Amino acid sequence: MGIWIAGAILLALAVLPLGVRIRYNDAGFVLKVIAGPLKITVIPGRKKPKKQKVKQKKQKAVQTAESAGSEERPPQPPKAQPEQKERGGSLTRFLPLVKLGLKFLGDFRRKLRLDNLYLRLILAGDDPCDLAVNYGRIWAAVGNLMPQLERLFVIKKRDIQVECDFTATELCVVAHLDITITLGWLLVLALYYGIRILFEFLSIKRKGGGDK
């Protein structure tokens, strides 16, 4: 029975979503961290109360009296130390780390999910002809953007709208984005690439590329 419970807990942790929730509208920018059912607000942060500065008059008076009574000594210039230039390492030993980092970013990107994509663009203007032209241009731009987003993320839910407002004075946008990755995939990628990076560092050290 205990094995089944432990397995269920591990499975629940493996599918636990981690990520960020982004909201933008006329009220400003909001950023929240997603950890399963928890949504922790990062931006805007809580305003900390300003600490009142306490003036220590007595201590300053004592310090002033002591400094007045002490003999003034001419400041001695600091001794100039020879500048040591940082020596570079071998590029051939560094390139495997770069390739490994790029591969990690590629695999990490493919495991990201765009759970919610809500985008509302509000066109401004009082000329119906200009609005019609801009309306077509915006939809063309959205059509070019979506294939690029689909290559970056797995999009689960999307809602994109373009509206016209004859009373508005500038182009406005309302955006909702929920980007997550499961804890299981994050741990798998971290473990896999962490081991590979460790082996690369050990290989560089054996070849004389480590710190002396």
Side-chain angles (χ1 to χ4, degrees):
M1 187 65 180
I3 297 177
W4 289 104
I5 295 176
I9 294 174
L10 290 176
L11 180 61
L13 289 176
V15 298
L16 183 72
L18 302 174
V20 294
R21 169 170 290 180
I22 301 171
R23 297 289 185 268
Y24 179 77
N25 53 27
D26 60 340
F29 180 76
V30 176
L31 175 64
K32 295 184 178 182
V33 175
I34 299 174
L38 298 178
K39 309 293 186 296
I40 304 171
T41 303
V42 178
I43 299 175
R46 295 181 179 179
K47 294 183 178 180
K48 297 181 179 179
K50 295 182 179 180
K51 296 181 179 180
Q52 295 182 355
K53 296 181 180 180
V54 180
K55 296 182 180 180
Q56 301 177 348
K57 295 183 178 180
K58 294 183 179 180
Q59 185 177 0
K60 287 185 178 181
V62 172
Q63 291 178 353
T64 304
E66 290 179 354
S67 60
S70 61
E71 296 180 357
E72 296 183 359
R73 297 181 181 178
Q76 298 180 356
K79 297 181 180 180
Q81 297 181 354
E83 183 180 356
Q84 296 181 355
K85 293 185 178 180
E86 185 177 7
R87 298 179 61 184
S90 173
L91 179 61
T92 56
R93 295 172 184 169
F94 182 69
L95 282 179
L97 293 176
V98 176
K99 294 178 181 179
L100 195 59
L102 293 176
K103 193 171 186 305
F104 167 76
L105 291 176
D107 288 343
F108 180 78
R109 171 179 58 82
R110 284 188 286 270
K111 297 299 183 290
L112 288 174
R113 298 183 310 179
L114 193 52
D115 295 327
N116 179 32
L117 170 60
Y118 174 78
L119 185 64
R120 186 160 63 98
L121 297 170
I122 306 170
L123 303 180
D126 54 0
D127 190 342
C129 295
D130 291 341
L131 281 177
V133 172
N134 293 331
Y135 186 87
R137 290 176 178 174
I138 291 294
W139 272 119
V142 170
N144 294 329
L145 177 64
M146 288 310 301
Q148 300 180 22
L149 288 178
E150 290 172 350
R151 284 196 294 267
L152 292 174
F153 307 103
V154 176
I155 303 177
K156 296 184 63 177
K157 180 182 178 182
R158 72 184 72 182
D159 184 6
I160 301 176
Q161 305 173 19
V162 180
E163 303 175 358
C164 297
D165 187 353
F166 292 97
T167 62
T169 57
E170 61 179 351
L171 176 65
C172 299
V173 59
V174 178
H176 297 176
L177 299 174
D178 290 352
I179 305 173
T180 62
I181 183 173
T182 60
L183 178 61
W185 274 120
L186 191 60
L187 292 177
V188 168
L189 291 175
L191 181 63
Y192 175 73
Y193 283 99
I195 293 174
R196 292 192 60 181
I197 289 175
L198 177 61
F199 277 112
E200 289 292 344
F201 274 122
L202 292 176
S203 176
I204 291 174
K205 193 170 184 179
R206 283 196 301 270
K207 295 176 182 179
D211 293 335
K212 297 180 180 180

